[in-house]
């Protein structure tokens, strides 16, 4: 990691075994770990490897066309998940840019934010692929 002043320090980006004394399963610690992963991943400092649900590991997504004379396509689920995560990352960047845009009115920001939220809602179908509920897409009806 590059720090102010040009200092470069190696930082371990694994969170396995990160526990506070006597806090196994502590929800507050879990929230902090998740937030750190998300922040570091959003800034490209951590290649967030979102875990594919065990039942899908090694599986394929089979696209079967409706026409008999065309060929089916198999896509490895791991590749599909990476592309899906890429879409989510781009939506997050768009959301950040929208919220910090200097010339949009609050009403315009709210309207455009609604479109982004509906995009997340459209992607909730794919939540079944993730092993961790914290990685799920959340639509409008599911936001707090």
């Amino acid at each position: 990691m590059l720090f102010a002043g040009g200092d470069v320090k190696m930082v371990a980006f694994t969170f396995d075994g990160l526990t506070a004394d006597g806090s196994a399963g502590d929800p507050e610690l879990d929230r902090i770990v998740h937030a750190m992963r998300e922040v570091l991943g959003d800034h490209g400092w951590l290649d967030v490897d979102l875990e594919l649900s065990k039942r899908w590991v090694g599986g394929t997504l089979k696209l079967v066309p409706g026409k008999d004379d065309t060929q089916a396509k198999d896509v490895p689920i791991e590749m599909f998940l990476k592309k899906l995560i890429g879409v989510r990352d781009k939506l997050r960047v768009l959301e950040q840019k929208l919220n910090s845009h200097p010339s949009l009115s609050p009403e315009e920001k709210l309207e455009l934010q609604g479109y982004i939220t509906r995009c997340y809602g459209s992607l909730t179908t794919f939540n079944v692929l993730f092993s961790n509920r914290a990685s799920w897409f959340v639509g409008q009806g599911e936001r707090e």
Side-chain angles (χ1 to χ4, degrees):
M1 187 174 281
L2 180 63
F3 291 90
D7 292 340
V8 176
K9 303 272 185 196
M10 295 304 294
V11 179
F13 285 126
T14 61
F15 295 92
D16 307 332
L18 175 61
T19 57
D21 294 336
S23 65
D26 179 15
E28 278 300 307
L29 183 59
D30 291 344
R31 270 182 0 105
I32 293 168
V33 169
H34 176 70
M36 288 297 297
R37 281 186 179 142
E38 196 169 298
V39 167
L40 292 173
D42 285 349
H43 292 284
W45 296 333
L46 174 63
D47 184 16
V48 179
D49 185 21
L50 298 173
E51 195 172 317
L52 183 63
S53 180
K54 287 181 173 59
R55 74 185 211 184
W56 302 110
V57 172
T60 59
L61 176 66
K62 187 171 197 82
L63 302 173
V64 180
K67 293 184 175 184
D68 292 334
D69 60 338
T70 56
Q71 191 173 19
K73 174 147 176 100
D74 290 337
V75 178
I77 289 182
E78 287 89 349
M79 180 190 303
F80 180 74
L81 183 68
K82 284 184 180 186
K83 292 190 180 283
L84 198 59
I85 291 167
V87 169
R88 180 175 61 196
D89 291 345
K90 287 170 183 63
L91 279 172
R92 285 180 177 169
V93 170
L94 179 61
E95 195 170 21
Q96 290 169 355
K97 288 185 180 237
L98 168 72
N99 289 331
S100 64
H101 198 282
S103 61
L104 289 173
S105 72
E107 293 81 18
E108 291 170 319
K109 288 180 182 182
L110 188 61
E111 178 186 358
L112 294 172
Q113 179 64 44
Y115 287 108
I116 293 171
T117 300
R118 287 190 291 281
C119 287
Y120 283 127
S122 297
L123 295 170
T124 59
T125 301
F126 303 110
N127 286 343
V128 69
L129 297 173
F130 295 100
S131 65
N132 185 352
R133 189 177 181 99
S135 300
W136 282 15
F137 294 101
V138 179
Q140 189 169 7
E142 302 166 41
R143 292 196 181 230
E144 294 177 7

